[in-house]
Amino acid sequence: MTLIAANWKMYKGPAEAAEFCLALREQDLDGVNVVVAPPYVSLAVAVQLLAGTEIGVAAQNVHWEPEGAYTGEISATMLRELGVYGAIVGHSERRQYFGETDELVASRARGALEAGLFVIGCVGETESERAQGKTEEVLRRQVSVFEPDDNFVVAYEPVWAIGTGKTATPELAQEAHAFLKSVLDVPVLYGGSVKPDNADSLLAQPDVDGALVGGASLDLESFTEICRAGARIRS
Ligand code: PEP
């Protein structure tokens, strides 16, 4: 089944997250897997308000150790205690602004999987890497650090398409997804300015197994529309 995941980034504190989750649970989301990833402070309220639904709650990052002297970090064990279902790792904003390397991201993924979380591992080339013809080299390097696991999916998020309004064409996304799967045989979500009006054509690609949605996931109506596109596509 198609997976549609919402990355709320540093938006929606507990009050706004609660309002969204209460409305989301009233939507018809049959035929699609849905995950929301609020900021850490809103995880508890999201878990509480989505309890009893099929909607999963994920963190936007996770540390690899169960506990320790790692100021500012949160462990997979702690997330599990809260009832959190999964975690995103290696988002390009973590790589770009917080210096996260492929090895660090791989440790986060490994620790989270070992603790029983579902993991979305993000990869993607920058605009200049694509212009230099290095897309496959970069994707191979980024995805090779991960190991296949039933609880692991990759999100292909070309950095030039995140929050920019520029979306990969469905053909370009398909090509990158097929390449990623040739390196690591796991489902691959597409991320990068997914909106209700481009979701159908992206999700229709044979190797696009779902979407990781940033900006458009902050609005209930547009997120729900993208989820419905996900339900339509494999039905
Ligand atoms: C993201 O942050 O994962 C993302 C894909 O953002 P946007 O949809 O806003 O491009």
Side-chain angles (χ1 to χ4, degrees):
M1 210 189 306
T2 303
L3 169 62
I4 308 293
N7 172 19
W8 288 350
K9 312 192 186 210
M10 201 170 72
Y11 295 99
K12 296 193 191 296
E16 260 188 75
E19 193 186 333
F20 191 102
C21 291
L22 282 171
L24 186 63
R25 59 175 299 150
E26 299 307 317
Q27 306 300 311
D28 174 12
L29 300 174
D30 277 356
V32 60
N33 289 322
V34 179
V35 166
V36 294
Y40 283 127
V41 293
S42 303
L43 286 171
V45 76
V47 167
Q48 197 187 331
L49 293 177
L50 296 174
T53 75
E54 299 285 307
I55 305 165
V57 176
Q60 296 173 17
N61 204 0
V62 58
H63 197 269
W64 53 91
E65 292 289 349
E67 60 183 3
Y70 298 102
T71 303
E73 292 282 331
I74 307 281
S75 77
T77 322
M78 292 167 179
L79 294 172
R80 292 272 291 162
E81 185 182 337
L82 209 58
V84 168
Y85 163 74
I88 298 170
V89 299
H91 192 279
S92 66
E93 287 151 16
R94 299 297 317 170
R95 296 175 188 261
Q96 187 180 349
Y97 303 128
F98 303 97
E100 297 206 6
T101 61
D102 295 333
E103 289 65 35
L104 190 99
V105 170
S107 303
R108 294 190 186 280
R110 215 174 302 117
L113 288 166
E114 276 167 16
L117 289 177
F118 173 79
V119 175
I120 301 174
C122 303
V123 299
E125 80 287 359
T126 63
E127 192 152 35
S128 79
E129 288 163 343
R130 175 161 284 273
Q132 291 169 59
K134 290 187 177 161
T135 300
E136 291 198 349
E137 183 191 322
V138 170
L139 295 183
R140 181 186 296 282
R141 193 199 72 223
Q142 291 180 336
V143 85
S144 298
V145 297
F146 298 125
E147 278 153 33
D149 190 294
D150 288 346
N151 272 329
F152 182 73
V153 299
V154 161
Y156 169 59
E157 299 208 307
V159 178
W160 46 270
I162 298 182
T164 57
K166 289 188 203 168
T167 315
T169 60
E171 295 71 28
L172 188 150
Q174 167 58 27
E175 196 185 334
H177 283 224
F179 174 74
L180 285 164
K181 288 183 184 187
S182 75
V183 182
L184 188 74
D185 188 16
V186 294
V188 181
L189 315 180
Y190 171 77
S193 299
V194 176
K195 306 268 182 283
D197 62 1
N198 60 25
D200 282 289
S201 57
L202 286 160
L203 293 169
Q205 299 303 309
D207 288 309
V208 175
D209 303 305
L212 179 55
V213 187
S217 74
L218 296 171
D219 175 74
L220 180 75
E221 205 173 311
S222 66
F223 183 60
T224 307
E225 271 187 56
I226 294 168
C227 292
R228 294 211 182 101
R232 267 196 301 278
I233 223 74
R234 306 273 185 259
S235 60

